[in-house]
């Protein structure tokens, strides 16, 4: 049971868990020291560590500039494509662990975590130590794809955490700095290896913002990619949900590939997210994912697992595919593997390694700081069993949110895996998605010092991606603010 700051108990079942995986003193050192909130602030309460005494921020870059002016200049200078800056009009100047402090002195609990990039939260000591170690060593920071001790250590740690059947026969390609670059590399790889142009992807998918990655994403207009139904319960395309809906999805896929009049020639590969993130936090059923592996293996179709957001313990296993025991042919990795810095790679079976030298390259594929931070993050998650911690704490948070949903008919579904959690908001009368309500919940959360973002169809899913170092007390504070924000938003929208 989570005891919230408001005094109400949110029942989650099960025994109380250990708050952190490191000693209390070390955990405390990873957070910003306490501060008296500025007058009128509705930021986090006493369990949410914050900033030093005083209304301002000392020493941080840009700390002396008025946040209103910074936001105004951003709106004048930056592209209309900016996203998070619109819904989160804050100016972060300091951060540690779960906590961000803005230039105005307000503190926030960050459940966005760099869109899932910050497995250990902001500025974790092991990450900072790894970065300082490279900087102090005098090692070159830019090396193209040359071999370095830093790269060797990162690759060794990564391979130690891969599914063993893949690690035993794997190759790695360092890509450009973003996950979408790695997706492009994966698609290019399987098309080169098979000599086929087509691709299988799923409704609701999100694989990035570059041209090829967008082609494979759910909102793309192109026809080079065949869309397959991704199983889900609340909005099952077959109207049944559950195991039956997943079975129908698998049979649809199998029939489409085997039907000589189906209009789908043998594809170069299938790309799938073990949990659809931007699609609304929809976990793939384990049995269904195993069927996709069987279907593709039987037909010589490489299976690509997009683990950009699900990797490094996020879902309660080191990789999202581990839940189903699936070994893909290609894994796309980014976000958390860089320890908060830009890094993206693909790891694939040696049999697919048919590229000629220079067939895929990138000037900034040798990011030494990111490799050092990434190796430290991977090792810390492994050594402290943070994937198991995410599984246990995530289960309790999901149970608490299911309990909350019983009293709020505007919550259509609570779903997720590990510390990748989604709450879909609906119209209580019609069951239709309620994007305006979700946007209101996000704003009410921000007013209460909680940063969340939206996803899913029509942006109606409130998403929680807290760091894997989240403590029981912090989890209770997050749930408390969300539980307070939902009815407040419902009153506002009505």
């Amino acid at each position: 049971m989570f005891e919230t700051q408001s005094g109400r108990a949110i029942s989650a079942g099960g025994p109380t868990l250990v708050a952190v995986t490191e000693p209390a003193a070390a955990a405390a050192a990873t957070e910003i020291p306490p501060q008296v909130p500025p007058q009128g602030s509705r930021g986090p309460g006493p369990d949410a560590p914050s900033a030093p005494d005083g209304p301002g921020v000392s020493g941080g870059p840009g700390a002396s500039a008025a946040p209103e002016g910074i936001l105004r200049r951003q709106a004048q200078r930056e592209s209309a494509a900016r996203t998070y800056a619109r819904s989160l009009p804050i100016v972060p100047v300091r951060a540690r662990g779960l906590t961000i402090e803005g230039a105005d002195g307000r503190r926030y609990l960050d459940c966005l975590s760099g869109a899932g990039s910050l497995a250990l939260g902001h500025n974790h000591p092991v990450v900072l130590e790894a970065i300082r170690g490279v900087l102090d060593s005098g090692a070159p920071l830019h090396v193209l794809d040359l071999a370095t001790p830093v790269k060797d250590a990162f690759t060794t740690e990564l391979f130690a955490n891969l599914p063993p059947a893949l690690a035993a026969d794997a190759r790695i390609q360092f890509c450009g700095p973003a996950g979408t670059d790695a997706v492009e590399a994966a698609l290019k790889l399987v098309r080169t290896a098979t000599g086929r142009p087509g691709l299988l992807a799923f409704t609701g998918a999100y694989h990035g913002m570059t041209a090829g990655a967008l082609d494979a994403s759910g909102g793309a207009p192109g026809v080079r990619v065949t869309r397959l139904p991704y199983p889900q319960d609340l909005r099952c395309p077959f109207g049944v949900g559950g195991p039956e809906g997943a079975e129908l999805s698998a049979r649809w896929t199998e029939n489409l590939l085997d039907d000589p009049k189906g209009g789908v020639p043998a594809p170069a590969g299938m790309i799938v997210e073990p949990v659809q993130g931007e699609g609304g936090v929809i976990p793939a059923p384990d049995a269904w994912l195993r069927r996709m592996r069987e279907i593709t293996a039987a037909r010589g179709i490489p299976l690509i697992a997009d683990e950009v957001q699900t990797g490094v313990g996020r879902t309660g296993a080191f990789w999202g595919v581990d839940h189903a025991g699936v070994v893909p042919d290609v894994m796309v990795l980014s976000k958390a593997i860089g320890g908060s810095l830009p890094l993206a790679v693909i790891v694939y079976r040696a049999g697919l390694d048919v590229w000629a030298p220079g067939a895929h390259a990138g000037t900034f594929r040798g990011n030494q700081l990111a490799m050092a931070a990434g190796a430290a993050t991977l090792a810390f998650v492994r050594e402290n069993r943070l994937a198991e911690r995410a599984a246990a704490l995530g289960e309790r948070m999901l149970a608490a949110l299911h309990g909350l949903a019983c009293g709020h008919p505007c919550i259509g579904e609570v779903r997720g895996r590990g510390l990748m959690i989604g709450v879909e908001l609906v119209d209580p009368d019609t069951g239709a998605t309620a994007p305006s309500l979700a946007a209101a919940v996000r704003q009410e959360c921000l007013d209460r010092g909680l940063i969340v973002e939206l996803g899913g169809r029509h942006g109606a899913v409130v998403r929680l991606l807290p760091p894997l170092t989240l403590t029981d007390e912090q989890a209770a504070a997050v749930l408390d603010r969300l539980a307070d924000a939902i009815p407040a938003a419902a009153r506002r929208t009505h």
Side-chain angles (χ1 to χ4, degrees), residues 176-221:
T180 190
D181 302 307
V183 169
E184 296 283 352
L187 304 186
K188 182 177 176 181
L189 174 74
V190 296
R191 283 171 170 149
T192 301
T194 64
R196 304 190 291 256
L199 185 73
L200 302 175
F202 292 90
T203 54
Y206 178 77
H207 299 292
M209 296 298 289
T210 50
L214 273 177
D215 278 349
S217 298

Side-chain angles (χ1 to χ4, degrees), residues 196 200 254 257 269-270 289-304 326-329 349:
R196 304 190 291 256
L200 302 175
E254 201 165 20
L257 291 173
M270 172 189 285
L289 196 55
R290 287 191 287 270
R291 282 289 300 279
M292 294 303 103
R293 173 69 284 187
E294 293 166 1
I295 289 169
T296 53
R299 292 159 181 79
I301 302 169
L303 178 65
I304 305 167
V326 164
V327 180
D329 300 293
R349 287 192 298 103

Side-chain angles (χ1 to χ4, degrees), residues 124-144 146 148-155 174 177 335-344 363-378:
H124 194 281
V126 302
V127 172
L128 297 182
E129 181 182 1
I131 293 171
R132 289 191 189 103
V134 175
L135 293 175
D136 293 344
S137 73
L141 299 183
H142 192 292
V143 294
L144 298 171
L146 300 178
T148 71
V150 174
K151 178 193 278 190
D152 183 63
F154 169 80
T155 305
F174 289 84
K335 291 193 185 291
I337 68 159
S340 76
L341 298 180
L343 186 63
T363 303
F364 292 101
R365 54 188 158 145
N367 190 332
Q368 297 292 281
L369 294 181
M371 291 177 193
T377 297
L378 291 167

